[in-house]
């Protein structure tokens, strides 16, 4: 049995005017839980594994041997993906230490998410880590605040969380019949989204720079877009299909049009250039790597899976369940929970139709590796 020490801590609270209290992925007791509908995010974690390995190896080769390495995983959610980065980091450290005939350091892992995350399930499912010493703590709070004491963290990791903004941007109230930046949105809408992202991501970098040790490392993976045009298909199509599903319910009198008009998602999909510019301007980190890869919306659709034959309804359902596990709490809080089943079955249908006739079917994924100056 591994030595496990569990703590939970509430991050220092700071004044926020965020809408974060209605965000959270679906807990395990929900019909469509995040734990059972996060295969896409698992695929992303597997694809970024080589980056994680390189980053940890490089960090170990350059740091003085310490008795305890402190790691933070930001936006950990709850489910099978929660412990994957921790296990990976442990394996890489163990293999480096074995080869160098060093004694393995202890590992302290801070799993962070918003306070309403299903931390109970997280704590009930901590693995044994093959007998290696690992001390796990939960840190409930927004990563757009300070979460840790100054100069305490060696490695920060975050996967598929940083495209969540701290709030819906101000100034998008007139984005009628759209939920995100769309071809029909006024240019002020994309301006408001990109400014919110710039502020949020800059703040994220500044707070982490205060919490990390000098030369500490950070590996971030999030959804982005492939070109500078913020209305590029690869980031807008999924929300266009979602809007279409809501408008179906408006046509049937199940949803008020004014509720659709006043709803916008708190996500932003940046392009590489924006990410680079914000990191350089904020100035605390050296950018080691900034790369892009694609993952298909349907986790079962894969170039490695040669047998994949599109089944419209199955693919539509896979994509809809993945989005539902992430957005249900915020959709229900705005539109009420009675429309949820109907809405996501329309959405599954529209996605299935789209996938069978058009090829915009992937998330552009950005991976960034940095060193604190
Ligand atoms: C799609 S899940 C990704 C979970 C996990 N890292 C994975 O790869 O499967 C995104 C997570 O980010 C969390 N999140 C979003 N905004 C956050 C914030 N400001 N602070 C902390 N966590 C946040 C959400 O609650 C959610 O659990």
């Amino acid at each position: 049995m591994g030595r496990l020490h569990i703590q939970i801590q509430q991050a220092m609270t700071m004044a926020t005017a965020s809408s974060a209290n209605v965000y959270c992925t679906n807990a395990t007791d929900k019909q469509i839980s995040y734990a059972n509908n996060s295969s896409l995010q698992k695929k992303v974690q597997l694809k970024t594994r080589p980056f994680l390995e390189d980053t940890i190896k490089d960090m170990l080769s350059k740091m003085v041997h310490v008795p305890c390495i402190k790691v933070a995983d930001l936006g950990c959610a709850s489910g099978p993906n929660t412990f994957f980065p921790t296990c990976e980091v442990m394996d890489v450290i163990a293999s480096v230490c074995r080869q160098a005939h060093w004694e393995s350091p202890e590992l302290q892992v801070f799993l962070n998410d918003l306070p309403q995350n299903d931390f109970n399930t997280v704590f009930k499912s901590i693995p044994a880590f093959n007998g290696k010493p690992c001390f796990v703590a939960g840190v409930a709070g927004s990563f757009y605040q300070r979460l840790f004491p100054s100069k305490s963290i060696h490695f920060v990791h975050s996967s598929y969380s940083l495209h969540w903004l701290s709030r819906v941007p101000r100034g998008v109230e007139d984005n009628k019949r759209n939920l995100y930046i769309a071809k029909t949105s006024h240019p002020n809408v994309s301006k408001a989204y990109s400014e919110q992202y710039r502020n949020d991501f800059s703040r994220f970098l500044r707070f982490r720079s205060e919490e990390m040790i000098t030369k500490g490392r950070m590996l971030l993976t999030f959804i982005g877009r492939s070109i500078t045009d913020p209305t590029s298909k690869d980031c807008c199509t999924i929300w266009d299909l979602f809007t279409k599903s809501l408008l179906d319910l408006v046509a049937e009198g199940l949803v008020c049009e004014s509720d659709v008009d006043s709803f916008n998602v708190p996500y932003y999909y940046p392009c590489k250039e924006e990410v680079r510019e914000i990191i350089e301007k904020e100035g605390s980190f050296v950018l080691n790597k900034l790369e892009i890869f694609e993952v298909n919306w349907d986790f079962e659709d894969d170039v490695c899976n040669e047998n994949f034959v599109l089944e419209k309804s199955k693919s539509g359902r896979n994509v809809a369940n993945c989005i539902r596990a992430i957005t249900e709490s915020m959709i229900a809080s705005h539109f009420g929970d009675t429309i949820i089943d109907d809405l996501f079955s329309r959405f599954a249908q529209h996605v299935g139709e789209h996938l069978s006739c058009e090829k915009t079917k992937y998330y552009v994924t950005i991976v960034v590796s940095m060193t604190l100056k």
Side-chain angles (χ1 to χ4, degrees), residues 23-25 34 41 45 75-77 81 112-114 117 141-144 159-161 164 326:
Y23 304 171
C24 70
T25 49
Y34 185 73
Q41 290 84 346
Q45 289 190 346
C76 63
N81 300 354
N112 154 260
D113 209 291
L114 294 167
N117 182 52
S142 169
F143 49 54
Y144 294 121
S159 191
Y160 259 40
S161 304
W164 296 49
I326 296 163

Side-chain angles (χ1 to χ4, degrees), residues 28 63 105 120 127 145-146 154 167 180 187 198 200 237 241 244 246 299 334-335 348 362 373:
T28 34
M63 75 192 253
N120 284 337
Q145 306 171 0
R146 273 293 296 267
H154 296 90
R167 55 173 300 139
Y180 181 64
R198 180 175 297 277
D200 281 346
T237 307
L241 295 168
K244 201 169 165 187
L246 274 167
F299 69 92
H334 188 87
F335 296 98
Y362 53 82
K373 285 180 181 164

Side-chain angles (χ1 to χ4, degrees), residues 4 14 21 27 53 83 88 92 155 164 174 188 211 217 254 256 268 292 295 302 310 327 333 336 359 362 371:
L4 294 180
M14 292 181 162
N21 54 346
E53 191 174 337
F83 289 98
E88 289 297 303
V92 179
F155 176 58
W164 296 49
D174 286 335
N188 284 348
E211 297 163 348
R217 304 294 295 257
L254 298 171
C256 292
Y268 183 69
I292 275 194
V295 272
D302 200 321
L310 180 80
T327 58
S333 121
K359 284 295 161 205
Y362 53 82
T371 304

Side-chain angles (χ1 to χ4, degrees), residues 93 192 198 255 260 300 348:
I93 293 178
R198 180 175 297 277
V255 165
V260 179
E300 288 187 82

Side-chain angles (χ1 to χ4, degrees), residues 48-59 62 155-158 162 201 205 212 215-222 275-276 279 284-292 366-372:
T48 54
R49 198 177 174 172
F51 293 92
L52 183 75
E53 191 174 337
D54 287 354
T55 307
I56 296 294
K57 282 187 172 162
D58 193 49
M59 178 179 88
K62 292 181 179 145
F155 176 58
V156 171
H157 178 266
S158 178
L162 262 165
F201 191 44
L205 294 171
M212 289 166 64
K215 305 283 177 211
R217 304 294 295 257
M218 179 144 79
L219 185 69
L220 310 175
T221 309
F222 45 86
V275 174
R276 181 187 300 279
I279 294 169
S284 304
F285 291 88
V286 176
L287 182 55
N288 307 318
K289 253 185 201 159
L290 176 56
E291 291 191 14
I292 275 194
I366 298 183
V367 54
V368 194
S369 167
M370 287 175 261
T371 304
L372 183 65

Side-chain angles (χ1 to χ4, degrees), residues 241-260:
L241 295 168
F242 202 83
T243 309
K244 201 169 165 187
S245 318
L246 274 167
L247 292 175
D248 286 351
L249 301 190
V250 170
E252 290 170 30
L254 298 171
V255 165
C256 292
E257 188 164 344
S258 59
D259 284 346
V260 179

